[in-house]
Amino acid sequence: MNKILVTGSSGQLGSDLVVALRQHYGMSNVIESGWRIPSHNRSLIYEVLDVTDRTQLQKLIEHYQIDTIYHLAGVLSAKGEQHPDRCWDVNINGLRNILEVAKAFKLQVFFPSSIAVFGPHTPKLNTPQITVEDPATLYGITKVAGELLCHYYAQRQVDVRSLRLPGIISYSAPPGGGTTDFAVEIFHAALQTGTYTCFVRPETRLPMMYISDAIRAILDIMQADAAAIKIRSSYNIAAVSFSVAELVAEIQKHLPHFTCDYAPDFRQAIADSWPSVIDDSKARADWGWQHQYNLAAIVEEMLAKVDVRSEEPGVERQEIGALR
Ligand code: AKB
């Protein structure tokens, strides 16, 4: 019987993951949580939870008799540079609390790592599973440490599973402070105003994944036979890689008048430090990972599903807390 806690459940990933988990495991078996009450009121069960408070976390686990945690609470790359103390506290101490509680209560854990574990000296093309990890951001440093913590606790009987996620493209919830956010913002701008000012240069090429693929990857790795999960730090996982210019050209096939200009900011350096194309052959071999969405399919579905009518100017977007 799965009784599931999702931390950071109102974030970009959590919003869709909760829906999928409820379809699989039943509405009342998925408990949402976050550091503040979310603006949506979709949830049957939502708990305000600060993951840096281990006592509060433990009480929640006991109260709901949780057996699985999807630990999505975290501060992303761009926000992490602006709020380093919070980034360290949530990403490191929060994860350690989750893993300690998982050890005590024999819980299964999902932890999202990131391509941000890689850095300027990592091979940019076909980045191997095991390679140089010299992150240029605090976020990346917390993800490297997080992966090592996962490996450490796995050796101490915690069933923890993790993916190095690329930029995630989704329509139902906005991303919250990452460097790959441009790949979501661009769709909203294209549909709202027909023009977008991108904060990284046109030739910037990064690994990306459509939300449906990301959710399936998370469910698949969590449901896989434990013996198949041979890597307990975190698996490289990939779907597509494209430059901003290629994304713009694909959008223009549907919206020929769409224009994009460029005003690179501090996020350019972060993007430049990350790989362009990831080798995810271990995930494909070990537990059968396969992506479905290519760039054309992503663009088609995003343009059909982004709901600009619900976006009024001045509506506050989700800040940190939101989490992966
Ligand atoms: C970010 O841009 O910070 C995230 C990530 C790649 O981990 N989307």
Side-chain angles (χ1 to χ4, degrees):
M1 170 70 176
N2 283 82
K3 197 85 183 178
I4 296 167
L5 174 68
V6 182
T7 71
S9 69
S10 306
Q12 187 194 14
L13 207 48
S15 297
D16 286 285
L17 183 63
V18 163
V19 174
L21 288 172
R22 289 206 164 125
Q23 274 163 9
H24 276 75
Y25 299 107
M27 293 294 276
S28 58
N29 289 325
V30 181
I31 288 86
E32 288 197 62
S33 69
W35 69 299
R36 65 179 180 184
I37 308 246
S39 47
H40 68 74
N41 59 3
R42 150 196 84 201
S43 191
L44 293 176
I45 319 171
Y46 185 96
E47 295 283 349
V48 173
L49 169 67
D50 176 356
V51 290
T52 65
D53 181 343
R54 194 182 299 176
T55 310
Q56 195 196 3
L57 173 65
Q58 188 164 322
K59 277 191 189 145
L60 215 79
I61 302 296
E62 285 172 320
H63 177 76
Y64 287 105
Q65 299 190 308
I66 298 293
D67 56 36
T68 308
I69 305 181
Y70 291 78
H71 176 47
L72 307 184
V75 178
L76 296 182
S77 57
K79 273 277 190 269
E81 296 305 294
Q82 293 160 336
H83 303 276
D85 290 342
R86 176 113 185 107
C87 179
W88 187 264
D89 205 20
V90 174
N91 294 12
I92 297 285
N93 298 330
L95 173 62
R96 187 141 180 275
N97 285 342
I98 296 281
L99 292 169
E100 270 299 315
V101 171
K103 188 168 151 225
F105 291 86
K106 301 196 182 339
L107 314 179
Q108 194 191 24
V109 175
F110 174 75
F111 167 65
S113 185
S114 163
I115 54 166
V117 296
F118 302 121
H121 295 93
T122 307
K124 278 209 177 304
L125 291 180
N126 297 325
T127 308
Q129 173 68 41
I130 296 177
T131 184
V132 176
E133 293 179 14
D134 59 343
T137 58
L138 189 63
Y139 170 69
I141 293 169
T142 66
K143 289 298 182 187
V144 172
E147 289 189 5
L148 293 172
L149 281 173
C150 289
H151 183 75
Y152 176 88
Y153 279 87
Q155 288 176 325
R156 284 154 185 80
Q157 274 65 58
V158 177
D159 183 2
V160 52
R161 303 169 184 210
S162 173
L163 300 171
R164 288 177 180 152
L165 293 172
I168 303 297
I169 302 178
S170 70
Y171 55 88
S172 39
T179 302
T180 57
D181 290 11
F182 69 86
V184 177
E185 291 174 4
I186 197 167
F187 290 99
H188 294 259
L191 290 164
Q192 267 170 345
T193 63
T195 180
Y196 179 60
T197 302
C198 188
F199 56 77
V200 293
R201 285 190 295 270
E203 68 277 13
T204 308
R205 179 181 298 276
L206 288 171
M208 298 280 179
M209 183 179 287
Y210 192 52
I211 186 75
S212 312
D213 277 336
I215 299 300
R216 202 164 36 77
I218 295 170
L219 296 181
D220 283 359
I221 193 173
M222 288 296 274
Q223 288 165 354
D225 198 85
I229 309 301
K230 301 197 178 85
I231 294 169
R232 292 291 181 157
S233 52
S234 192
Y235 275 95
N236 274 8
I237 187 158
V240 282
S241 289
F242 50 79
S243 68
V244 186
E246 287 163 354
L247 176 58
V248 170
E250 194 61 41
I251 293 173
Q252 284 167 336
K253 287 184 189 166
H254 301 261
L255 303 171
H257 301 297
F258 171 61
T259 57
C260 186
D261 55 21
Y262 298 88
D265 65 16
F266 72 101
R267 289 169 283 191
Q268 182 70 58
I270 300 177
D272 288 345
S273 74
W274 289 349
S276 304
V277 181
I278 302 282
D279 171 5
D280 64 352
S281 48
K282 293 266 188 279
R284 290 177 191 262
D286 286 2
W287 46 276
W289 161 243
Q290 278 183 333
H291 73 280
Q292 286 175 354
Y293 282 78
N294 61 16
L295 176 59
I298 293 173
V299 169
E300 195 177 328
E301 197 152 314
M302 283 296 285
L303 290 176
K305 292 201 166 161
V306 166
D307 182 7
V308 282
R309 285 165 307 174
S310 64
E311 293 167 13
E312 287 158 30
V315 172
E316 188 198 342
R317 290 209 151 190
Q318 189 123 15
E319 288 263 316
I320 51 175
L323 318 179
R324 220 218 94 92

